[in-house]
Amino acid sequence: MSVIPKLHQTVLAALLSTAFAMPAMAAAPATPAAASASSAWVDASNRNAAIVLAAQARFSPENASDTGLTEYDGLAADLGPKITERYVAAMQQARAQLQQKLAAEKDERIRQDLQILTNAVDQEIAGAQLEAKHSLPWVDVPQMVFGSMQSLLQEQRPAARRAKALERLQRYVGQYPGSTPITQQAKARFTEKIGQKGLAGPVRLQVEQSLENVPTYVAGIRKLFADMKIAGADSALAAMEQQLNDYAAWEKQVVLPLSRTDFRMAPELYAFRLKQVGIDIEPRALVERAEVAYLETRAAMQALAPVVAAKLALKGVDGSDYRQVLRALKSDSIPDAQLEAHYKGVNTQLEERIRAQRVVDVPQRAMTMRLASSAESAAQPAPHMRPPPLIGNTGEHGQFVLPVSNPAASGKGEAYDDFNFAGAAWTLSAHEGRPGHELQFSAMVERGVSQARSLYAFNSVNVEGWALYAEAEMIPYEPAEGQFIALQFRMLRAARAMLDPMLNLGQVTREEAGRILTDEVMLSKPMARQELDRYTFNMPGQAGSYFYGYTRILQLRAETELALGDKFDRLAFNNFLLGQGLLPPELLAKAVREHFIPEQKKARG
């Protein structure tokens, strides 16, 4: 139930814990992003964004490639000596160039984008320095290599781009002239920091999961090369398998003894993570808001339970107990072989209702949805959307990817029962597909948004807030069982906003949080484990962004309806929101107040 951001699956993100696609928010006011991608101001803005892209690509060319810059397709990450110092210096140099551009720029739209870029760079610098101050630089190299190969070896990629995967793999294993094996670099960066005061090792459970997943990643990489028919890769693949297995052995010997059982990170680092994802309120305030929403949503779910039980004639089920109703819905599961077809059918029905109810404009082309491979599920065990390239897109589209198990957790082979029944397909499709993430990223590609707004204004609050809002928009047009599960998922988002900060601030144990997720939210055990892993070591701080982003959009919607009264047009409002790119809540609200509301009042007399 998330989006994999462009520039996020990076070895530097693992090393420095700074996700390139999740930089700081802008402080300047926003204007409508209605211009086409070929307009002069967007082209000028993109030339400024190229300064930051080029600086980052020197260290993680995989990310630049994933965004659509084909010249980086065959290159591999730099984890050489003094990586943090060199990266910070490169970011500082880029910032100086942006400041020079800002001082001379007269166009307010370009100035706004320069502010977005400058703030993004500032956040990169802060994140790199904080990680260097608090953490031993451990890298999950097998996961990183799999994610990198998967990015290039997609059917939608042109054949010439897929072919560059061999060069990148050769660089990873040291077979390309002048290259050093990535495992060797990662070992050196970790080893040289051992013994430095104040540096915490990785969470033990995370390292253990990484070790368990090495065979899955190796098999996944081999399958990608075989499926895409990349010739001449046998030697590099053999070296890759040997080096990843050797790296795992080294992790058992060196990393595991230095790992920590207490997952909590330094308070200033957790505070930065919240800021990074776009949560700009204190953790306690977030918890208090979420607690109220959690109970309200649970009560709404309880009220709807008898309706669902009666409609579906659920025999032997106490309709007054939402837990019994939910268990009954889950028990009528859809076989894996039929799951993709079922979801595609629901996607089609949702699109018909989006158009009929004038919710938002959607493309005429079909949406891409598929089940995850085992290796994909290990790398990302939750449903997600893989965005399309936002630069130089040649017709590639986002993909809604649905895992059916959680192979990354203990209890391998356990299947989810959270997404493979009829009620779940509605709201999950609305979130990951249309009108959620798939439409969100399609709009940026097809309508044209500056790279500052599509790449560097990116954070989880503005991305996930829209997707949860999209779920809410579609609830009235779904069957009762779909509405029921939509409420369950909304309760999960409130639980996330409670439990993530409570866990990281030491206010609840992992065991107690797990009980809430399984006994109250009614998640399966493997789904609850991946949720807990998310809160404690995979993405601490991120889980609250769904709830917080949703509430900010909902508040803006209420403000706009009150301002316009009977002149409010939902279709126009939702199209306007999508047209802004990935602006954070404050800038989005400013755009609505200063442009959408006055223009609607004028247009409607």
Side-chain angles (χ1 to χ4, degrees):
M1 291 180 279
S2 58
V3 62
I4 296 183
K6 308 309 289 181
L7 304 182
H8 183 68
Q9 296 179 77
T10 167
V11 66
L12 275 183
L15 185 67
L16 305 176
S17 287
T18 52
F20 290 155
M22 300 174 67
M25 296 179 287
T31 55
S36 70
S38 61
S39 67
W41 85 264
V42 171
D43 288 343
S45 176
N46 289 349
R47 287 192 290 273
N48 295 330
I51 295 171
V52 186
L53 279 166
Q56 292 177 326
R58 287 162 49 190
F59 300 89
S60 190
E62 300 96 329
N63 295 336
S65 166
D66 203 26
T67 301
L69 297 173
T70 59
E71 61 266 35
Y72 297 103
D73 283 350
L75 304 184
D78 168 14
L79 291 184
K82 297 188 179 299
I83 176 64
T84 300
E85 295 85 349
R86 290 187 293 114
Y87 182 67
V88 168
M91 290 294 98
Q92 290 172 334
Q93 184 178 12
R95 191 186 194 283
Q97 291 180 259
L98 295 174
Q99 288 300 104
Q100 290 178 351
K101 298 279 188 181
L102 183 60
E105 185 56 59
K106 303 300 182 185
D107 189 305
E108 185 60 24
R109 297 164 297 187
I110 301 175
R111 289 182 62 83
Q112 292 159 9
D113 282 4
L114 280 164
Q115 288 283 0
I116 290 173
L117 293 168
T118 301
N119 289 344
V121 169
D122 286 345
Q123 194 174 77
E124 287 293 301
I125 293 170
Q129 292 174 333
L130 277 172
E131 283 294 328
K133 177 182 177 181
H134 292 290
S135 306
L136 282 171
W138 170 70
V139 182
D140 187 348
V141 174
Q143 183 185 44
M144 183 274 293
V145 174
F146 168 74
S148 171
M149 293 297 102
Q150 184 193 27
S151 174
L152 268 183
L153 294 174
Q154 298 182 46
E155 288 184 5
Q156 293 191 76
R157 294 277 192 265
R161 295 196 65 189
R162 295 199 299 267
K164 299 294 283 187
L166 176 56
E167 178 186 337
R168 184 183 290 178
L169 184 62
Q170 289 171 335
R171 290 181 186 273
Y172 281 149
V173 300
Q175 291 184 352
Y176 197 87
S179 63
T180 301
I182 195 71
T183 54
Q184 181 178 324
Q185 295 182 62
K187 290 178 188 178
R189 299 294 75 76
F190 186 89
T191 303
E192 69 191 10
K193 297 294 184 180
I194 293 175
Q196 291 193 16
K197 187 177 180 180
L199 298 186
V203 177
R204 186 176 185 87
L205 182 58
Q206 184 178 22
V207 180
E208 290 172 344
Q209 288 187 1
S210 171
L211 293 170
E212 290 176 1
N213 287 329
V214 171
T216 303
Y217 291 136
V218 168
I221 294 166
R222 285 188 172 278
K223 186 175 188 303
L224 286 168
F225 274 82
D227 289 347
M228 294 297 107
K229 297 179 173 56
I230 306 299
D234 289 349
S235 176
L237 287 169
M240 176 270 300
E241 183 168 356
Q242 181 63 52
Q243 290 176 16
L244 293 188
N245 284 326
D246 289 346
Y247 187 73
W250 170 81
E251 287 177 306
K252 289 179 182 178
Q253 181 181 3
V254 177
V255 180
L256 265 181
L258 296 172
S259 64
R260 54 194 166 96
T261 55
D262 185 351
F263 56 80
R264 290 175 297 174
M265 61 181 62
E268 68 172 333
L269 191 52
Y270 183 68
F272 174 77
R273 292 288 181 89
L274 292 176
K275 178 182 177 182
Q276 188 181 39
V277 301
I279 297 174
D280 55 7
I281 60 175
E282 291 297 316
R284 186 63 222 172
L286 178 65
V287 170
E288 289 172 355
R289 293 185 191 183
E291 286 171 338
V292 174
Y294 178 83
L295 291 181
E296 287 182 337
T297 308
R298 189 178 67 181
M301 196 173 175
Q302 186 64 69
L304 186 58
V307 177
V308 175
K311 178 195 171 187
L312 300 181
L314 300 177
K315 296 181 179 180
V317 172
D318 180 0
S320 66
D321 184 350
Y322 77 90
R323 297 171 183 83
Q324 288 195 35
V325 175
L326 187 46
R327 289 192 192 99
L329 292 178
K330 286 186 172 188
S331 67
D332 189 13
S333 60
I334 302 167
D336 288 353
Q338 301 172 21
L339 201 54
E340 185 173 325
H342 180 86
Y343 266 82
K344 288 180 177 178
V346 170
N347 293 338
T348 299
Q349 293 182 67
L350 278 172
E351 287 190 37
E352 292 171 351
R353 296 172 196 195
I354 292 168
R355 293 188 177 95
Q357 300 297 330
R358 301 183 75 251
V359 176
V360 67
D361 289 333
V362 293
Q364 292 298 318
R365 60 170 177 77
M367 192 189 79
T368 302
M369 184 270 166
R370 61 179 176 81
L371 301 185
S373 68
S374 295
E376 280 181 296
S377 296
Q380 172 66 328
H384 56 274
M385 205 280 292
R386 293 190 61 86
L390 297 176
I391 300 175
N393 190 292
T394 57
E396 297 153 275
H397 307 303
Q399 300 177 30
F400 168 17
V401 183
L402 182 70
V404 294
S405 64
N406 183 5
S410 57
K412 279 182 177 291
E414 283 188 347
Y416 290 135
D417 67 4
D418 306 273
F419 320 119
N420 61 348
F421 60 100
W426 290 92
T427 199
L428 188 55
S429 294
H431 183 102
E432 303 293 351
R434 296 174 183 171
H437 287 317
E438 196 274 348
L439 181 60
Q440 188 177 41
F441 281 84
S442 292
M444 286 190 287
V445 171
E446 296 168 9
R447 301 180 190 185
V449 174
S450 70
Q451 290 165 17
R453 298 179 187 218
S454 60
L455 295 176
Y456 291 99
F458 189 119
N459 63 41
S460 283
V461 164
N462 53 38
V463 173
E464 301 299 350
W466 168 264
L468 191 47
Y469 171 76
E471 287 186 46
E473 285 289 82
M474 297 312 298
I475 286 178
Y477 317 117
E478 297 170 0
E481 60 273 22
Q483 296 177 8
F484 185 69
I485 300 305
L487 290 174
Q488 183 211 10
F489 283 10
R490 189 182 296 176
M491 184 165 66
L492 168 61
R493 276 51 170 267
R496 286 174 171 175
M498 293 189 306
L499 298 177
D500 187 301
M502 291 177 72
L503 281 161
N504 284 284
L505 296 176
Q507 296 173 349
V508 69
T509 66
R510 180 175 167 119
E511 291 71 26
E512 177 60 14
R515 186 200 66 77
I516 293 170
L517 292 174
T518 55
D519 297 354
E520 300 293 324
V521 184
M522 301 297 293
L523 299 183
S524 66
K525 287 184 178 180
M527 182 65 187
R529 276 198 300 270
Q530 78 86 21
E531 285 289 316
L532 294 168
D533 293 348
R534 178 199 291 246
Y535 312 157
T536 55
F537 56 79
N538 280 335
M539 289 186 285
Q542 187 267 351
S545 61
Y546 298 73
F547 170 78
Y548 186 63
Y550 168 64
T551 61
R552 294 297 298 270
I553 293 179
L554 216 57
Q555 183 277 324
L556 182 59
R557 166 74 174 265
E559 177 185 331
T560 307
E561 286 197 31
L562 290 171
L564 291 175
D566 60 5
K567 296 183 176 66
F568 177 77
D569 183 332
R570 177 174 65 172
L571 178 67
F573 177 77
N574 289 340
N575 281 337
F576 183 87
L577 294 188
L578 282 179
Q580 303 313 296
L582 298 178
L583 289 180
E586 289 299 329
L587 299 189
L588 187 60
K590 192 169 183 64
V592 169
R593 292 165 188 155
E594 294 185 357
H595 297 277
F596 180 76
I597 292 175
E599 290 167 5
Q600 289 291 301
K601 285 182 176 178
K602 182 179 179 181
R604 299 177 189 281

